Amino acid sequence: MKSRLVASAAISALVLLGATGCTFITPQSTEVQYSASDGVNVSDSDGPIDVRNAFIVANEDGSVGNFVAAVVNPTTEKATLTMTIEGLDPFTVSVPAGKTVSFGADEEPLRIEDLDTMPGATIEIHFQSGDGAGTKTEVPVLDGALPYYADLVPSATKSTPTPEPVPSDTAAPAPSE
């Protein structure tokens, strides 16, 4: 009887181990770091500034895009971030000490002329802050198909200021009949 009890316990232990043993050798998904959004996070270990949820919303033909991201400066001093896309002039952003600048939310997104990247692709951007060498990251290029990105789609041409209205201190002549 004792051997049956031991055999039953051994079989139960094997079944239990077989049913749960995969968790001992499989990586836990909660340990894998990823960007839980449409954009990417960029951290430069040599520089003071971090970039969160970076992406570009482009027009239909990919000729113009708006860079959207939160740029975080956790330091006690003002810092500058330079973003470079091959073939285009670099963008420079200053972030006050201890502040976050949210392009596309609190601030206007950064307009990128001559983007030449279709929505659905990625584009390599070099992010550099402080004295560090910086880091290159593939940033996704999105379209305005999702309702919350529709307002971020740039027009193909630069917007021009609305002309000032003509003062109405003089009456216009009446149309002739």
Side-chain angles (χ1 to χ4, degrees), residues 95-130:
V95 183
K99 299 290 182 185
T100 298
V101 177
S102 294
F103 294 102
D106 301 333
E107 300 285 329
E108 288 295 315
L110 298 176
R111 185 178 174 90
I112 303 171
E113 297 286 335
D114 302 320
L115 179 65
D116 195 29
T117 305
M118 294 295 292
T122 60
I123 189 165
E124 186 178 77
I125 300 179
H126 182 257
F127 295 89
Q128 190 274 327
S129 64

Side-chain angles (χ1 to χ4, degrees), residues 3 32 40 60 83 119 124 149 166:
S3 63
V32 177
V40 294
E60 256 182 40
M83 297 171 285
E124 186 178 77
Y149 295 146
V166 178

Side-chain angles (χ1 to χ4, degrees), residues 1-163:
M1 174 96 170
K2 188 174 181 183
S3 63
R4 277 190 180 170
L5 187 56
V6 170
S8 175
I11 290 174
S12 296
L14 284 174
V15 168
L16 185 61
L17 182 62
T20 62
C22 61
T23 60
F24 291 118
I25 58 172
T26 303
Q28 295 178 2
S29 61
T30 56
E31 295 292 320
V32 177
Q33 292 190 10
Y34 66 98
S35 296
S37 61
D38 293 330
V40 294
N41 294 330
V42 182
S43 294
D44 181 4
S45 59
D46 295 331
I49 291 183
D50 291 324
V51 180
R52 300 288 177 245
N53 195 27
F55 59 93
I56 296 170
V57 179
N59 61 357
E60 256 182 40
D61 65 2
S63 62
V64 181
N66 278 331
F67 177 79
V68 178
V71 181
V72 182
N73 179 4
T75 68
T76 57
E77 296 180 16
K78 180 180 171 181
T80 301
L81 172 69
T82 302
M83 297 171 285
T84 307
I85 298 172
E86 188 174 329
L88 301 177
D89 291 334
F91 294 90
T92 302
V93 177
S94 292
V95 183
K99 299 290 182 185
T100 298
V101 177
S102 294
F103 294 102
D106 301 333
E107 300 285 329
E108 288 295 315
L110 298 176
R111 185 178 174 90
I112 303 171
E113 297 286 335
D114 302 320
L115 179 65
D116 195 29
T117 305
M118 294 295 292
T122 60
I123 189 165
E124 186 178 77
I125 300 179
H126 182 257
F127 295 89
Q128 190 274 327
S129 64
D131 296 331
T135 185
K136 289 183 179 181
T137 303
E138 292 290 326
V139 175
V141 178
L142 309 174
D143 62 12
L146 296 173
Y148 41 91
Y149 295 146
D151 292 345
L152 296 171
V153 176
S155 62
T157 59
K158 284 187 178 180
S159 58
T160 54
T162 307

